Each structure stands twice: as structure tokens, then as C-alpha cells.
Amino acid sequence: MFESLTEKLTGALRSLRGTGALTEANMADALKEVRAALLSADVHFTVARDFIARVQAACVGQAVLKSVSPGQQVVKIINDELVKLLGEGTTELAAKRPLKVLMVGLHGSGKTTSTAKLGKLLKKKGARPFVVGCDIYRPAAIDQLEILAKQEELGFYSDRVTKDVPALGTTGLATALAQNADVILFDTAGRLQIDTDLIEEVKKLKAAVTPDEIILVADGALGQEAVNVAKAFHDALGLTGLILTKLDGDTRGGAALSIKSVTGVPIKFIGVGEKTADFEPFYPERLASRILGMGDVVSLVERAQENIDQAEAEKMAEKLRKADFNLEDFLAQMQQVKKMGSMQSIMGMMPGMSGVQLPGDAEKQMKRTEAIIQSMTIQERRKPSLLNGNRRMRIANGAGVKVLEVNQLIKQFEQMQKLMKMMKGGNQQKMMRQMEQMKRRGGMPGF
Ligand SMILES: Nc1nc2c(ncn2[C@@H]2O[C@H](COP(=O)(O)OP(=O)(O)OP(=O)(O)O)[C@@H](O)[C@H]2O)c(=O)[nH]1
Ligand SMILES: [Mg+2]
């Protein structure tokens, strides 16, 4: 997320971060670079200008130049100002139950996907979400929502015959309440542009279901355009929050950075990938530290907690400790990691890793490793040494890979096993040597 902005900002701040003496001149230079970085990330120029002015004022006010570690302090000030820009204050949905949420936005912005993602997230938190498909213009849109609702086990209602959207909304709401749902999400139709028909229809739906939250789903990759879209929707409907989607792509960050200060509407969630798990509550503090290249370990841990089975994880850790971790366990673990979302989105949360682009085939590689293990019998997964040449060939055929890849996986796995035995034995020196060797040979299997 925001790789190029992060890169430019860390570049600009690197010179300041050091302990060296900070002068007004080199601080001005660094701030000029910061401003350029913001502008090239498509941040609105008035937002960038005000931002720099505030940072400058804060630096003077806090007598940065005379402080013990001036560079660090400037970074801290920039961080704080970024947090303000991204929107201090509450970014949570209203706590009211039942809660009615209207999802609006342009065509293809991610409304339907985000409706399911939000449902999933709320369900994890113990709510009983229900989704209502109000996009009557494309039957496929209703199907899309229904499939996602089934997948995430959310309540669902729609009507493929009616032409009356407000009536559909009302019936959907009644159905949801009758089923004891406590959060009702209305997915609406998108249009190519903000046209009056669209707005009129959503207004009628709003009047019919009286939502507590009106959330605009906006494509974060649109940059400044997303800010204009948000303004238009806000004027017409009175938004209570925003979901910025597609922040995983080559988004430059402009929308995320300008939208709150221009519209005053808080970002509440962000979409960071196509999978339903690639969705997070929006925390300005965390995004600020991600933008400044400091990672976001808190979000990473939360995502792990939400998507990884705790009991399973403990069992795995125990197996690792006892050096009794076989390919079957490895497969199970890979599947757990996959639940956390795409590899690239996980990487972006690790300190210092945000700029690291995974090789395009990292996910593919993981799938191949999975296919290889899946082609083995249970006995073989538990004891790969059983695999002779003939079996390796069959497995390669079964998984659609070369025998060489099967051999590599087994070889790497045997090394990992050796490593686990050493950990168990507590021989650290030997372990480090083994790890070095593994690194040279291309890392852990599957990665
Ligand atoms: N990479 C990425 N793709 C996303 C994200 N959110 C949605 N998408 C994709 O964007 C496309 C459009 O998403 P939808 O949820 O169908 O969008 P919509 O707003 O409902 O579209 P309409 O119903 O046609 O107005 C789909 O291919 C989604 O998988 C995201 O956060 N990241
Ligand atoms: Mg849709």
C-alpha cells in the first residue's frame, strides 16, 4: 500500500532521522521533499500546503532544532500531522442495534464486495449481519451478493422481479428483523457517473429504510477523483462514513490523505484486496506509521487473531517444539496463513517490508507447494523419506509440476526438520549455520 509515497517520505526523512545537527536550511529542504512526495501521491495541493505549514509551525513551536534528537522529533511531528490529516476521532460504526447501513457508490467501486467483507468482519465480532441486495438492474449483482453471503454465512434477501427499490429495501429490512438480525447492510446499484436518477433512487431508499449509517464505497485508486465523488454523494445524502477500496493496488494514497480533510467524512474501513479477509477497520495512527515505513504490527496481529484458529496455532507451535512437524502439518499451516489474506497485503504490515514487492509468482508458488503435498498419501506426508523415485514422478504428474520441484520441496523440508531438531536440542550455533545454508538454497519450502 502506498509504496512509492512511503519510499519518497522515508527518503526525505532519512537525512533528518540521524542524530546529526539539524539546521533550518536542511529542515526546509526535507520538508520541500515531503511536500513533493505528497503531491506526487496525488494529495490535493491545498491539503499538502497546509500540511507542511502545520509541520513547520509545530517544529518551531516545539523548538525542534534545540532538542536532543531533532530528526526523530520531526518524524514524530510529521507522524502526528499525518494522523490528523487521515482523521482523528472515531472511525467506528455506530454502536446502535439494530444497525441499518446503506452502502452507496459508483459502478465497480467495490460496494458488493465490501458489503460482504463488512458482514464478515461484524460477524467475527459477534453480530448477526444480514445483507439486502438492492441492485435490481443486474441480476448478476444479486447473484454475486448471494454467493458471498452464503460463503460468509450471512443472512440474505433480495427480489429478482420487483422494480421498486424502496419496497425491496423495506421488505428486506422486515425479513432481516424477523430473522433476528442486528446489522442490516443494503447493497445498492452503482452507476458510471453520479447521475440524478441514481441519487434520487438512493434518496427514496434512504427514506424507506432510514439508515443509521450511509457509507460511500470509493475506489481509492481514483485519487483526487474519489474526493470529488465523496463531496457529491455527501451533499446529496449526508454520508456518515467512507470505505476506501483497492488500497492494495498501485494506489498512490492521494484519496486516503485528502478525503477526510476535504469532506469531513471519516474513513471507517479500507479494502486491501479481493478476498473477503482483505478488509480492515481504518485506524489513522496505523496507516500513518505504514505510510512512514514503520509497518503496522498491530493490524498484522489482529488479522492473525481473527483468521487463524488459536487452538490449531498452539498445536502447531507444540509440534514445532517437539520437532514432530510433518508435511501434513505444513499444508495445514499454509492454509491457515492463506486465510489472513493475500501475501502482499500481509507483507505491507511488516516493519521495513512495505516497499518489498513479492515476486509476482509468490502466491502461485504457494499453490504449487500445496498441490505437491496434496498429491502425496497421508503416510508420505508424515514421512517424506518414504518417497522413492517412482512415487516422486507420480506426485509431480499429479500436481502438474516437474520432478525437480518435488525433490526441492522434500530437500528443503528435510533441512527444516533438521533445524527443528536442533531447536529442540538447543544447539544455537549449529542452528544458525543451518539457517544460513537454507537461506543460500532459497529459503523455506513454499516461500
Ligand atoms: N484489489 C482489490 N479489488 C477489489 C477490492 N474491493 C473490490 N474489488 C474488486 O473490484 C471489482 C468490483 O467490485 P464490486 O464489489 O462488484 O463493485 P460494485 O461497486 O458492487 O460494482 P457494481 O455493483 O457494478 O456497481 C471486483 O472485481 C472486486 O473483486 C479491493 O479492496 N481490492
Ligand atoms: Mg455491486
mmCIF file of all heavy atoms in Angstrom, residues 48-75:
data_model
loop_
_atom_site.group_PDB
_atom_site.id
_atom_site.type_symbol
_atom_site.label_atom_id
_atom_site.label_comp_id
_atom_site.label_asym_id
_atom_site.label_seq_id
_atom_site.Cartn_x
_atom_site.Cartn_y
_atom_site.Cartn_z
ATOM 1 N N ALA A 48 -1.731 19.503 0.901
ATOM 2 C CA ALA A 48 -0.279 19.360 1.069
ATOM 3 C C ALA A 48 0.330 20.642 1.639
ATOM 4 O O ALA A 48 1.164 20.610 2.549
ATOM 5 C CB ALA A 48 0.363 19.012 -0.274
ATOM 6 N N ARG A 49 -0.128 21.781 1.120
ATOM 7 C CA ARG A 49 0.409 23.071 1.566
ATOM 8 C C ARG A 49 0.110 23.291 3.057
ATOM 9 O O ARG A 49 0.993 23.616 3.846
ATOM 10 C CB ARG A 49 -0.217 24.190 0.723
ATOM 11 C CG ARG A 49 0.398 25.558 0.926
ATOM 12 C CD ARG A 49 -0.455 26.619 0.270
ATOM 13 N NE ARG A 49 -1.830 26.559 0.775
ATOM 14 C CZ ARG A 49 -2.898 27.019 0.107
ATOM 15 N NH1 ARG A 49 -2.756 27.543 -1.080
ATOM 16 N NH2 ARG A 49 -4.102 26.935 0.642
ATOM 17 N N ASP A 50 -1.127 23.055 3.434
ATOM 18 C CA ASP A 50 -1.497 23.241 4.843
ATOM 19 C C ASP A 50 -0.743 22.273 5.741
ATOM 20 O O ASP A 50 -0.367 22.614 6.862
ATOM 21 C CB ASP A 50 -3.004 23.014 5.034
ATOM 22 C CG ASP A 50 -3.821 24.068 4.295
ATOM 23 O OD1 ASP A 50 -3.194 25.037 3.803
ATOM 24 O OD2 ASP A 50 -5.055 23.908 4.193
ATOM 25 N N PHE A 51 -0.557 21.073 5.213
ATOM 26 C CA PHE A 51 0.141 20.050 5.984
ATOM 27 C C PHE A 51 1.561 20.518 6.326
ATOM 28 O O PHE A 51 1.988 20.503 7.480
ATOM 29 C CB PHE A 51 0.182 18.758 5.160
ATOM 30 C CG PHE A 51 0.893 17.619 5.839
ATOM 31 C CD1 PHE A 51 0.227 16.832 6.763
ATOM 32 C CD2 PHE A 51 2.218 17.324 5.551
ATOM 33 C CE1 PHE A 51 0.865 15.778 7.390
ATOM 34 C CE2 PHE A 51 2.869 16.277 6.172
ATOM 35 C CZ PHE A 51 2.184 15.504 7.094
ATOM 36 N N ILE A 52 2.261 20.989 5.290
ATOM 37 C CA ILE A 52 3.642 21.428 5.504
ATOM 38 C C ILE A 52 3.667 22.625 6.463
ATOM 39 O O ILE A 52 4.518 22.709 7.361
ATOM 40 C CB ILE A 52 4.315 21.805 4.155
ATOM 41 C CG1 ILE A 52 4.410 20.565 3.265
ATOM 42 C CG2 ILE A 52 5.690 22.428 4.374
ATOM 43 C CD1 ILE A 52 5.235 19.431 3.828
ATOM 44 N N ALA A 53 2.708 23.521 6.287
ATOM 45 C CA ALA A 53 2.665 24.697 7.166
ATOM 46 C C ALA A 53 2.496 24.268 8.616
ATOM 47 O O ALA A 53 3.144 24.814 9.519
ATOM 48 C CB ALA A 53 1.525 25.622 6.736
ATOM 49 N N ARG A 54 1.638 23.294 8.836
ATOM 50 C CA ARG A 54 1.414 22.835 10.215
ATOM 51 C C ARG A 54 2.640 22.140 10.784
ATOM 52 O O ARG A 54 3.000 22.343 11.944
ATOM 53 C CB ARG A 54 0.202 21.888 10.276
ATOM 54 C CG ARG A 54 -1.139 22.619 10.270
ATOM 55 C CD ARG A 54 -2.240 21.733 10.836
ATOM 56 N NE ARG A 54 -2.290 20.455 10.140
ATOM 57 C CZ ARG A 54 -2.967 20.246 9.010
ATOM 58 N NH1 ARG A 54 -3.656 21.237 8.466
ATOM 59 N NH2 ARG A 54 -2.971 19.079 8.428
ATOM 60 N N VAL A 55 3.295 21.336 9.945
ATOM 61 C CA VAL A 55 4.509 20.658 10.413
ATOM 62 C C VAL A 55 5.559 21.707 10.783
ATOM 63 O O VAL A 55 6.186 21.635 11.843
ATOM 64 C CB VAL A 55 5.062 19.687 9.336
ATOM 65 C CG1 VAL A 55 6.438 19.166 9.727
ATOM 66 C CG2 VAL A 55 4.108 18.517 9.126
ATOM 67 N N GLN A 56 5.699 22.702 9.909
ATOM 68 C CA GLN A 56 6.691 23.755 10.163
ATOM 69 C C GLN A 56 6.399 24.484 11.473
ATOM 70 O O GLN A 56 7.280 24.677 12.299
ATOM 71 C CB GLN A 56 6.684 24.754 9.005
ATOM 72 C CG GLN A 56 8.059 24.999 8.444
ATOM 73 C CD GLN A 56 7.978 25.382 6.975
ATOM 74 O OE1 GLN A 56 6.880 25.591 6.433
ATOM 75 N NE2 GLN A 56 9.121 25.472 6.331
ATOM 76 N N ALA A 57 5.132 24.833 11.633
ATOM 77 C CA ALA A 57 4.740 25.559 12.845
ATOM 78 C C ALA A 57 5.016 24.712 14.080
ATOM 79 O O ALA A 57 5.522 25.199 15.094
ATOM 80 C CB ALA A 57 3.258 25.929 12.779
ATOM 81 N N ALA A 58 4.699 23.429 13.985
ATOM 82 C CA ALA A 58 4.910 22.543 15.129
ATOM 83 C C ALA A 58 6.396 22.409 15.433
ATOM 84 O O ALA A 58 6.813 22.374 16.601
ATOM 85 C CB ALA A 58 4.299 21.174 14.853
ATOM 86 N N CYS A 59 7.224 22.369 14.389
ATOM 87 C CA CYS A 59 8.670 22.241 14.590
ATOM 88 C C CYS A 59 9.201 23.470 15.321
ATOM 89 O O CYS A 59 10.003 23.359 16.245
ATOM 90 C CB CYS A 59 9.399 22.099 13.261
ATOM 91 S SG CYS A 59 9.137 20.489 12.492
ATOM 92 N N VAL A 60 8.741 24.634 14.891
ATOM 93 C CA VAL A 60 9.186 25.862 15.542
ATOM 94 C C VAL A 60 8.663 25.901 16.983
ATOM 95 O O VAL A 60 9.414 26.124 17.925
ATOM 96 C CB VAL A 60 8.681 27.112 14.766
ATOM 97 C CG1 VAL A 60 9.021 28.385 15.530
ATOM 98 C CG2 VAL A 60 9.301 27.135 13.373
ATOM 99 N N GLY A 61 7.379 25.615 17.121
ATOM 100 C CA GLY A 61 6.745 25.655 18.432
ATOM 101 C C GLY A 61 7.420 24.740 19.433
ATOM 102 O O GLY A 61 7.527 25.050 20.605
ATOM 103 N N GLN A 62 7.880 23.614 18.955
ATOM 104 C CA GLN A 62 8.471 22.659 19.887
ATOM 105 C C GLN A 62 9.984 22.788 19.955
ATOM 106 O O GLN A 62 10.668 21.914 20.492
ATOM 107 C CB GLN A 62 8.078 21.230 19.495
ATOM 108 C CG GLN A 62 6.577 21.031 19.568
ATOM 109 C CD GLN A 62 6.176 19.608 19.231
ATOM 110 O OE1 GLN A 62 6.979 18.694 19.317
ATOM 111 N NE2 GLN A 62 4.937 19.416 18.856
ATOM 112 N N ALA A 63 10.513 23.866 19.366
ATOM 113 C CA ALA A 63 11.952 24.112 19.399
ATOM 114 C C ALA A 63 12.738 22.869 19.021
ATOM 115 O O ALA A 63 13.627 22.418 19.710
ATOM 116 C CB ALA A 63 12.365 24.605 20.783
ATOM 117 N N VAL A 64 12.356 22.333 17.880
ATOM 118 C CA VAL A 64 12.971 21.083 17.424
ATOM 119 C C VAL A 64 14.489 21.191 17.291
ATOM 120 O O VAL A 64 15.230 20.295 17.655
ATOM 121 C CB VAL A 64 12.347 20.679 16.071
ATOM 122 C CG1 VAL A 64 13.174 19.628 15.379
ATOM 123 C CG2 VAL A 64 10.944 20.159 16.298
ATOM 124 N N LEU A 65 14.909 22.340 16.766
ATOM 125 C CA LEU A 65 16.339 22.452 16.477
ATOM 126 C C LEU A 65 17.203 22.309 17.718
ATOM 127 O O LEU A 65 18.332 21.882 17.643
ATOM 128 C CB LEU A 65 16.629 23.780 15.777
ATOM 129 C CG LEU A 65 15.984 23.903 14.393
ATOM 130 C CD1 LEU A 65 16.314 25.247 13.773
ATOM 131 C CD2 LEU A 65 16.440 22.774 13.489
ATOM 132 N N LYS A 66 16.639 22.664 18.859
ATOM 133 C CA LYS A 66 17.448 22.626 20.069
ATOM 134 C C LYS A 66 17.282 21.303 20.827
ATOM 135 O O LYS A 66 17.892 21.086 21.851
ATOM 136 C CB LYS A 66 17.053 23.777 21.005
ATOM 137 C CG LYS A 66 17.356 25.143 20.416
ATOM 138 C CD LYS A 66 17.259 26.222 21.497
ATOM 139 C CE LYS A 66 17.029 27.587 20.888
ATOM 140 N NZ LYS A 66 15.596 27.948 20.802
ATOM 141 N N SER A 67 16.426 20.452 20.333
ATOM 142 C CA SER A 67 16.143 19.237 21.101
ATOM 143 C C SER A 67 17.250 18.204 20.952
ATOM 144 O O SER A 67 18.138 18.340 20.121
ATOM 145 C CB SER A 67 14.809 18.654 20.682
ATOM 146 O OG SER A 67 14.957 18.054 19.416
ATOM 147 N N VAL A 68 17.170 17.182 21.779
ATOM 148 C CA VAL A 68 18.241 16.186 21.832
ATOM 149 C C VAL A 68 18.364 15.414 20.527
ATOM 150 O O VAL A 68 19.440 15.246 19.972
ATOM 151 C CB VAL A 68 17.983 15.175 22.980
ATOM 152 C CG1 VAL A 68 19.271 14.456 23.333
ATOM 153 C CG2 VAL A 68 17.374 15.877 24.179
ATOM 154 N N SER A 69 17.235 14.932 20.023
ATOM 155 C CA SER A 69 17.327 14.240 18.745
ATOM 156 C C SER A 69 16.305 14.855 17.797
ATOM 157 O O SER A 69 15.180 14.408 17.651
ATOM 158 C CB SER A 69 17.128 12.736 18.936
ATOM 159 O OG SER A 69 15.805 12.370 18.809
ATOM 160 N N PRO A 70 16.724 15.937 17.165
ATOM 161 C CA PRO A 70 15.806 16.730 16.350
ATOM 162 C C PRO A 70 15.159 15.924 15.231
ATOM 163 O O PRO A 70 13.964 16.069 14.974
ATOM 164 C CB PRO A 70 16.683 17.841 15.782
ATOM 165 C CG PRO A 70 18.086 17.429 16.010
ATOM 166 C CD PRO A 70 18.101 16.451 17.126
ATOM 167 N N GLY A 71 15.953 15.080 14.585
ATOM 168 C CA GLY A 71 15.413 14.313 13.463
ATOM 169 C C GLY A 71 14.231 13.476 13.886
ATOM 170 O O GLY A 71 13.165 13.502 13.266
ATOM 171 N N GLN A 72 14.405 12.743 14.982
ATOM 172 C CA GLN A 72 13.331 11.891 15.477
ATOM 173 C C GLN A 72 12.088 12.703 15.785
ATOM 174 O O GLN A 72 10.964 12.283 15.566
ATOM 175 C CB GLN A 72 13.772 11.163 16.767
ATOM 176 C CG GLN A 72 14.806 10.097 16.544
ATOM 177 C CD GLN A 72 14.249 8.925 15.755
ATOM 178 O OE1 GLN A 72 13.087 8.893 15.396
ATOM 179 N NE2 GLN A 72 15.099 7.961 15.450
ATOM 180 N N GLN A 73 12.333 13.899 16.322
ATOM 181 C CA GLN A 73 11.194 14.714 16.705
ATOM 182 C C GLN A 73 10.405 15.196 15.486
ATOM 183 O O GLN A 73 9.184 15.268 15.526
ATOM 184 C CB GLN A 73 11.661 15.894 17.549
ATOM 185 C CG GLN A 73 10.541 16.380 18.453
ATOM 186 C CD GLN A 73 10.999 17.483 19.348
ATOM 187 O OE1 GLN A 73 12.180 17.568 19.679
ATOM 188 N NE2 GLN A 73 10.089 18.341 19.750
ATOM 189 N N VAL A 74 11.137 15.517 14.417
ATOM 190 C CA VAL A 74 10.435 15.934 13.194
ATOM 191 C C VAL A 74 9.593 14.779 12.670
ATOM 192 O O VAL A 74 8.434 14.959 12.267
ATOM 193 C CB VAL A 74 11.433 16.407 12.110
ATOM 194 C CG1 VAL A 74 10.678 16.743 10.826
ATOM 195 C CG2 VAL A 74 12.214 17.606 12.587
ATOM 196 N N VAL A 75 10.177 13.582 12.693
ATOM 197 C CA VAL A 75 9.432 12.417 12.225
ATOM 198 C C VAL A 75 8.161 12.248 13.059
ATOM 199 O O VAL A 75 7.079 11.996 12.527
ATOM 200 C CB VAL A 75 10.300 11.136 12.295
ATOM 201 C CG1 VAL A 75 9.462 9.916 11.930
ATOM 202 C CG2 VAL A 75 11.489 11.256 11.359
#
